[in-house]
């Protein structure tokens, strides 16, 4: 087996708790790109990054190994690396706190609020759990072991030391972490629970919604009805795979879209700083054996879903990010 050569160290430090973007230049057997500028122009054509990259190159803010300043007219070098910090617009502060559930020298587990992204992506760069925790806890080497959707609240794991990151990520790749979610959705008396949903889910890059398509199943979820209050059900969801939006897609496929979902069954595209009616989905439980310390862990979120005990307040958009546990 061919061993992959690690990339050279970044010549740029973190900025506001965010790592610089690292880009490896792909092969160019046809000589399509005579210089670095032509490649970057083609890569980011039609996106906000097209103008931004031209500005970064002109300002000498794109660096190669050892801190060498790269310019648009520099020769294109396939396999080479470059680093830069994104130009970012000021981001509105997400007004909800991240709670630390567990911290030791290897592992950090937090209880993330709705509306806060786990890691930088798209327009969410500094207002992410990773950036906040790196700065607030003085943990510059912190890295995510997995991801949780921005709109979903609940438990997220991070590796404190870079050398442990692979071990924690491997837990999720091998499906050795038991995960349970809670969701609020309509109740359908005609549907029997518990039930296991298996389907094939595909997500096209650049399209916000994932879809179920014909073909061999690649996603499996156990869905249990825990309690009923009027026409509302409280469900325990146990994913056995980790496809994008899997639980939201499976619930919607049953005709039970999760309350507050802005994508399923219909994309409504609320503003990023619209904190009304949060998605009623919570990553409730993480249980696993720590691959570094061999300690058996079981973590439970103390958050609850507002619409269960305050449906009128949730519908009115009176957000309550921190609520007591279910009675």
């Amino acid at each position: 087996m061919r061993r992959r050569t690690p990339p050279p160290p970044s010549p740029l430090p973190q900025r506001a708790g965010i790592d610089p973007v690292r880009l490896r230049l792909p092969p160019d057997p046809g000589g399509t790109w005579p210089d670095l500028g032509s490649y970057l122009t083609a890569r980011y054509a039609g996106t906000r990054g097209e103008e931004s990259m031209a500005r970064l190159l002109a300002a000498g803010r794109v660096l190669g190994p050892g801190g060498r300043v790269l310019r648009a007219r520099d020769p294109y070098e396939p396999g080479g690396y470059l680093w830069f910090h994104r130009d970012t617009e000021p981001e509105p502060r997400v007004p909800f706190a991240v709670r630390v559930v567990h911290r030791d020298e290897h592992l950090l587990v937090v209880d993330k609020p709705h509306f806060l992204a786990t890691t930088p992506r798209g327009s969410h760069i500094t207002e992410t759990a990773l950036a906040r925790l790196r700065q607030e806890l003085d943990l510059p080497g912190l890295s995510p072991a997995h991801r949780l959707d921005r709109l979903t609240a609940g438990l997220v794991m991070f590796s404190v030391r870079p050398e442990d990151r692979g071990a924690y990520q491997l837990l999720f790749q091998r499906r050795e972490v038991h995960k349970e979610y809670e969701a609020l959705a309509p109740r359908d008396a005609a549907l029997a629970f518990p039930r296991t949903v298996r389907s094939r889910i595909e997500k096209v890059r650049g399209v916000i919604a994932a879809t179920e398509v014909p073909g061999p199943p690649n996603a499996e979820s156990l869905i249990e009805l825990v309690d009923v209050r009027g026409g509302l059900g409280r469900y325990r969801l146990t994913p056995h795979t980790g496809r994008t939006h899997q639980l939201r897609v499976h619930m919607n496929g049953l005709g039970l879209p999760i309350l507050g979902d802005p994508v399923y069954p219909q994309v409504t595209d609320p503003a990023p700083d619209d904190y009304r009616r949060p998605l009623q989905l919570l990553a409730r439980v993480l249980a696993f054996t720590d691959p570094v310390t061999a300690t058996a862990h079981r973590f439970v979120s103390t958050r609850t879903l507002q619409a269960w005990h305050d449906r009128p307040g949730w519908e009115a958009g009176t957000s309550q990010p921190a609520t007591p546990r279910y009675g």
Side-chain angles (χ1 to χ4, degrees):
M1 181 176 178
R2 187 176 179 181
R3 181 172 295 180
R4 185 178 179 181
T5 303
S10 170
L12 287 170
Q14 289 180 6
R15 189 177 69 187
I18 302 300
D19 291 323
V21 175
R22 185 189 76 206
L23 188 62
R24 188 175 190 184
L25 304 180
D28 183 25
T32 304
W33 305 301
D35 52 40
L36 180 62
S38 61
Y39 165 72
L40 292 175
T41 297
R43 178 183 174 89
Y44 291 102
T47 72
R48 291 184 300 176
E50 183 175 6
E51 181 180 343
S52 176
M53 285 306 307
R55 187 167 55 247
L56 293 174
L57 284 166
R61 293 169 55 194
V62 179
L63 302 185
R68 177 169 59 97
V69 174
L70 301 177
R71 301 291 185 179
R73 293 186 178 180
D74 284 348
Y76 183 80
E77 299 177 353
Y81 288 90
L82 58 83
W83 291 262
F84 59 90
H85 282 294
R86 295 184 181 95
D87 272 339
T88 58
E89 299 293 330
E91 296 177 43
R93 176 76 175 176
V94 177
F96 311 124
V98 181
R99 304 173 187 163
V100 174
V101 175
H102 171 86
R103 178 181 178 180
D104 61 36
E105 62 180 311
H106 306 284
L107 175 68
L108 178 71
V109 180
V110 303
D111 208 347
K112 185 186 80 68
H114 295 286
F115 303 111
L116 185 68
T118 301
T119 58
R121 188 174 185 180
S123 61
H124 305 284
I125 306 299
T126 58
E127 276 301 291
T128 63
L130 179 63
R132 280 194 192 179
L133 293 165
R134 280 177 167 177
Q135 290 194 300
E136 294 172 4
L137 302 181
D138 191 24
L139 294 174
L142 193 70
S143 56
H146 64 124
R147 286 181 173 82
L148 193 63
D149 286 348
R150 183 180 72 90
L151 299 181
T152 304
L155 299 175
V156 188
M157 286 170 48
F158 295 85
S159 171
V160 173
R161 307 189 312 169
E163 58 265 39
D164 296 332
R165 178 182 182 180
Y168 288 112
Q169 289 182 332
L170 199 58
L171 280 178
F172 289 89
Q173 294 171 13
R174 292 177 173 173
R175 302 176 187 172
E176 295 175 354
V177 179
H178 175 76
K179 298 182 286 184
E180 293 179 12
Y181 291 71
E182 287 185 0
L184 302 183
R187 181 206 178 192
D188 185 345
L191 293 177
F193 294 95
R195 64 169 56 218
T196 298
V197 179
R198 298 181 182 90
S199 70
R200 184 168 191 83
I201 295 177
E202 292 187 358
K203 176 76 164 58
V204 176
R205 187 172 183 177
V207 178
I208 190 170
T211 56
E212 291 181 289
V213 298
N218 62 2
E220 179 178 324
S221 308
L222 172 64
I223 301 176
E224 301 170 272
L225 181 60
V226 175
D227 203 352
V228 174
R229 182 169 291 176
L232 187 64
R234 181 156 66 94
Y235 297 86
R236 178 168 52 240
L237 313 179
T238 306
H240 296 298
T241 53
R243 310 301 298 186
T244 298
H245 295 180
Q246 174 178 318
L247 298 175
R248 296 161 65 182
V249 170
H250 279 169
M251 290 294 287
N252 184 61
L254 293 175
L256 307 173
I258 298 172
L259 263 65
D261 198 324
V263 176
Y264 308 98
Q266 182 178 357
V267 177
T268 57
D269 197 25
D273 58 351
D274 183 352
Y275 304 124
R276 299 171 298 169
R277 293 181 290 279
L279 176 68
Q280 297 297 276
L281 180 61
L282 172 69
R284 182 83 161 123
V285 175
L286 286 177
F288 57 94
T289 298
D290 192 302
V292 179
T293 66
T295 302
H297 289 300
R298 179 181 172 83
F299 301 111
V300 180
S301 171
T302 59
R303 297 182 186 274
T304 62
L305 297 172
Q306 181 187 359
W308 186 250
H309 57 81
D310 181 23
R311 181 72 178 267
W314 178 84
E315 289 181 343
T318 307
S319 182
Q320 297 180 7
T323 57
R325 295 185 65 169
Y326 294 114

